[in-house]
Amino acid sequence: MAEANDLVQAFDNKIHAEEKIEPKDWMPAGYRKNLIRQMSQHAHSEVIGMQPEGNWLTRAPTLERKSVLLAKIQDEAGHGLYLYSATETLGITREEIVQALHDGHAKYASIFNYPSLTWADIGTIGWIVDGAAIVNQVALQRTSYGPYARAMVRICKEESFHQRQGYESVAVLARGSAQQKAMAQDALNRWWWPALMMFGPHDADSAHSAQSMLWKIKRKSNDELRQSFVDQTVPQAEIIGLEIPDPDLKWNEQRQHYDFGEIDWDEFKQVINGNGLCNRERLAQHKQAHANGAWVRAAVAAYVKGKTGESGE
Amino acid sequence: MGDEKLNNQIAEYALRLGDDALVFGQRLCEWCADAPTLEEDIAISNVGLDYLGRARMALQYAGKTLGRTEDELAFLRDSGEFRNLLLVELPRGDFAFSMVRQYLLDEFELLFFAQLCKSKDDTLGAIAAKTVKEVRYHQRRSANWMQRLGLGTQESQARTQAAIDQLWGYMPELFEMDELEASLLQAGIAVDRVELHSKWLDIVSAQFASANLQVPESDWQVVGGRKGVHTEHLGHMLGEMQFLQRAYPGLEW
């Protein structure tokens, strides 16, 4: 009993001293479970996020845009891989992590349940969705679990590149023809509120927040992060002449922040609970690709077994 | 031969190489978020990026003489104006089909671009030098896959053999010379495709033999791409690829 207490004490001391928890360190079961949930959700988001962007890959308007988009999606796949590996350090296999997604136990960012309908959505996803993700991820660079924090440092570098590319792409549309500008505005109208929802419920309503803050898995609250995102994005929209679709949005001199309207939490719940336009398709596509690849993975396993069998004899 | 005529021939040659790379790159894009593993998704993207890069270099070069940008060439020509090999426009099929096509093409491209490095045309030589480095990686990967798939399971062997049989008749086109390429060969600019055939066949046969795969005996062959006569598949691909430039013409993106 004394020993167990020592372990808890050592863990708490590390958290308090801002030292990273490493895979071989003792950690409370709840801490491990919470991390597996958050990190695997993060990894799945990178992977499922490839779908709405891939939707425009074969229709990109120029060869340069096509190359940039392919490279970006490849980065997302790389982030997914990196985060799956980081999650595996917690004692769960990639097969189990993917199975949990297929079973519906693990989630991915609900924003990818919205459809990418025009080319402007691709730039907007980079600007707004990656922009929101970065705000979250910059804070996570100081998360208490070492492999997660280090993954975030690397991922943030690439994500901020994506965010700038996306913004530049939207800027070109915004100063283009009337149709292009309308396309850009329409995309912002559709993605703005879902992007604000990416930060999750208000702090008071957030199921995992309090404990995650104590364990320093989360470093800033949902509402704090959301405010940072709004503050940084509103001037960006103004520069390129697009309008944030929120009549309540205005600068608050006293707070030195933007005030903004209330999120439609009913829509948030609807989409999380399966009633977004793409929920079933996103998961079905992932399952289908996985199923289609089963014979390939079986071939690799048989080949490796055959080879090691040979050399073993 | 006058400079203008030669320049036009070189542009046509670059257009062929550019179209091969563009159409194949577009097919590789179709694997996005659909590969058997996440690692393979990343690998296919890598290869696809190389092809798109090569397409851009070759089309920019062709476009200088033809007076068109890379994007005008990619997005504003109809299928009859495309000069790519039929092999690269075929639908991607299953993973075995895509990987066999990749392998057959990789072995060809290794030989082809090694020769093109010696071209008297500096730009084509430079494109070839960059491409050879990339194709070495592509070939290492696709040759490995021939081993894994051929020696993996009964199913993987059967699927891979079926892909070889389906693709075999599209291979002769890779080794065909016409008047244009013969003339450029004379000038020390183009590659003698005919000469590459026996070496390519030896390499491929040895690889297949070591992977429990057969070189087909059938002698069917389909050609036409270099003259703008394509399969029905290319039109559909272009319909998708060119949508934005066709629906909203003349804009900056």
Side-chain angles (χ1 to χ4, degrees):
Chain A
M1 197 63 201
E3 258 180 47
N5 281 339
D6 289 348
L7 289 170
V8 175
Q9 194 58 52
F11 174 85
D12 286 346
N13 289 344
K14 271 197 174 179
I15 296 283
H16 182 72
E18 295 284 331
E19 281 175 42
K20 298 296 178 213
I21 306 299
E22 295 299 336
K24 285 179 179 159
D25 294 345
W26 182 89
M27 62 188 87
Y31 178 85
R32 186 184 300 272
K33 195 177 155 198
N34 199 324
L35 270 173
I36 289 175
R37 180 190 58 77
Q38 182 170 336
M39 289 170 70
S40 67
Q41 174 170 338
H42 196 159
H44 294 323
S45 301
E46 299 279 2
V47 171
I48 297 293
M50 293 164 69
Q51 290 184 37
E53 301 195 295
N55 182 39
W56 280 92
L57 185 55
T58 54
R59 291 180 290 170
T62 70
L63 296 183
E64 185 178 5
R65 293 282 181 210
K66 192 191 289 291
S67 298
V68 167
L69 181 57
L70 180 55
K72 175 183 195 289
I73 298 171
Q74 188 191 32
D75 284 348
E76 313 291 5
H79 298 170
L81 199 55
Y82 203 55
L83 284 165
Y84 281 137
S85 301
T87 312
E88 283 184 303
T89 64
L90 291 161
I92 182 168
T93 67
R94 186 145 134 217
E95 288 72 24
E96 290 167 331
I97 298 169
V98 170
Q99 194 57 48
L101 174 69
H102 289 180
D103 293 344
H105 300 317
K107 293 197 168 99
Y108 54 86
S110 191
I111 194 155
F112 298 124
N113 292 318
Y114 290 83
S116 67
L117 298 176
T118 73
W119 170 251
D121 289 31
I122 296 307
T124 307
I125 288 172
W127 170 34
I128 295 291
V129 178
D130 289 358
I134 293 167
V135 169
N136 206 7
Q137 289 168 358
V138 164
L140 284 172
Q141 292 180 87
R142 296 193 302 119
T143 194
S144 57
Y145 188 55
Y148 196 24
R150 290 189 288 274
M152 282 306 108
V153 171
R154 180 168 147 172
I155 287 171
C156 277
K157 282 184 194 153
E158 291 182 353
E159 291 291 2
S160 54
F161 190 58
H162 298 165
Q163 195 267 350
R164 285 199 297 275
Q165 279 173 342
Y167 182 58
E168 185 271 340
S169 166
V170 176
V172 167
L173 298 178
R175 64 167 184 260
S177 73
Q179 277 175 315
Q180 283 175 310
K181 182 161 188 185
M183 208 185 267
Q185 183 63 56
D186 168 63
L188 181 58
N189 293 349
R190 283 182 288 107
W191 290 98
W192 174 256
W193 290 104
L196 294 192
M197 294 175 198
M198 283 173 73
F199 298 96
H202 286 309
D203 299 338
D205 308 323
S206 180
H208 305 285
S209 275
Q211 183 60 64
S212 287
M213 293 286 275
L214 283 177
W215 276 330
K216 296 185 181 172
I217 294 175
K218 266 177 96 101
R219 303 308 308 253
K220 286 187 175 175
S221 78
N222 292 352
D223 287 325
E224 274 180 281
L225 293 167
R226 189 164 18 238
Q227 183 71 59
S228 308
F229 170 70
V230 171
D231 289 348
Q232 80 177 37
T233 310
V234 171
Q236 292 169 353
E238 279 170 4
I239 288 170
I240 58 175
L242 294 182
E243 199 179 327
I244 302 284
D246 178 358
D248 296 327
L249 184 83
K250 65 169 188 294
W251 179 250
N252 184 324
E253 190 60 39
Q254 199 186 350
R255 289 204 309 129
Q256 288 292 301
H257 288 295
Y258 282 94
D259 291 336
F260 53 97
E262 187 57 35
I263 288 169
D264 181 349
W265 293 109
D266 185 51
E267 177 181 323
F268 176 75
K269 281 180 205 131
Q270 286 288 329
V271 176
I272 281 191
N273 291 329
N275 295 322
L277 269 158
C278 301
N279 296 58
R280 282 161 303 282
E281 285 172 53
R282 299 289 187 237
L283 198 55
Q285 161 63 27
H286 195 274
K287 284 182 182 173
Q288 188 65 55
H290 196 72
N292 289 345
W295 70 268
V296 180
R297 296 190 301 275
V300 173
Y303 175 73
V304 170
K305 201 175 163 199
K307 278 200 71 142
T308 48
E310 269 170 36
S311 60
E313 276 164 26
Chain B
M1 190 155 41
D3 269 4
E4 196 187 326
K5 188 180 173 200
L6 182 64
N7 281 342
N8 282 332
Q9 287 184 333
I10 292 172
E12 175 71 19
Y13 194 61
L15 190 66
R16 292 178 178 191
L17 302 182
D19 284 351
D20 287 344
L22 171 59
V23 171
F24 195 58
Q26 175 78 4
R27 282 292 182 226
L28 290 175
C29 286
E30 294 171 357
W31 277 102
C32 179
D34 213 21
T37 63
L38 198 50
E39 286 83 347
E40 227 16 67
D41 223 301
I42 292 170
I44 294 172
S45 298
N46 254 331
V47 178
L49 281 166
D50 286 343
Y51 275 94
L52 288 177
R54 193 198 310 172
R56 294 186 63 197
M57 287 189 292
L59 292 180
Q60 281 166 15
Y61 187 44
K64 254 204 242 174
T65 303
L66 300 172
R68 307 180 83 178
T69 66
E70 60 177 75
D71 288 327
E72 286 169 343
L73 289 171
F75 297 100
L76 299 179
R77 282 180 300 154
D78 206 343
S79 63
E81 298 164 277
F82 269 77
R83 290 291 178 263
N84 59 281
L85 299 161
L86 300 180
L87 176 75
V88 296
E89 73 195 40
L90 300 174
R92 62 161 229 205
D94 67 1
F95 187 75
F97 188 89
S98 273
M99 203 45 75
V100 168
R101 169 163 60 179
Q102 184 75 57
Y103 172 69
L104 295 172
L105 194 58
D106 287 345
E107 293 290 11
F108 169 80
E109 289 188 339
L110 264 187
L111 298 172
F112 180 89
F113 286 105
Q115 289 300 311
L116 192 63
C117 285
K118 302 176 205 157
S119 175
K120 283 187 180 161
D121 183 275
D122 290 344
T123 307
L124 289 176
I127 293 173
K130 184 169 189 296
T131 302
V132 162
K133 286 184 203 149
E134 294 166 353
V135 176
R136 267 190 216 121
Y137 287 100
H138 303 173
Q139 184 272 348
R140 199 183 298 166
R141 165 172 169 268
S142 64
N144 271 332
W145 271 112
M146 291 305 100
Q147 296 291 310
R148 292 188 201 123
L149 297 179
L151 303 173
T153 62
Q154 231 169 19
E155 181 180 6
S156 69
Q157 194 278 341
R159 282 178 184 259
T160 308
Q161 186 62 54
I164 294 170
D165 296 344
Q166 284 170 51
L167 284 161
W168 201 249
Y170 295 95
M171 299 316 296
E173 193 177 33
L174 276 64
F175 302 96
E176 224 180 42
M177 295 293 283
D178 61 2
E179 212 176 303
L180 172 91
E181 297 203 8
S183 167
L184 286 173
L185 174 61
Q186 281 282 315
I189 290 167
V191 174
D192 187 353
R193 293 171 176 271
V194 176
E195 197 193 54
L196 305 179
H197 185 256
S198 65
K199 193 163 184 198
W200 173 84
L201 190 59
D202 286 349
I203 293 168
V204 168
S205 301
Q207 179 75 44
F208 283 173
S210 73
N212 191 28
L213 298 165
Q214 314 281 325
V215 170
E217 281 175 21
S218 63
D219 59 354
W220 63 282
Q221 60 175 61
V222 186
V223 297
R226 296 302 192 211
K227 294 193 178 77
V229 182
H230 291 277
T231 66
E232 291 175 346
H233 307 295
L234 184 64
H236 292 279
M237 175 196 275
L238 297 182
E240 182 176 349
M241 185 174 87
Q242 299 180 337
F243 158 68
L244 279 168
Q245 291 279 2
R246 300 288 192 179
Y248 305 92
L251 302 177
E252 192 196 334
W253 297 91

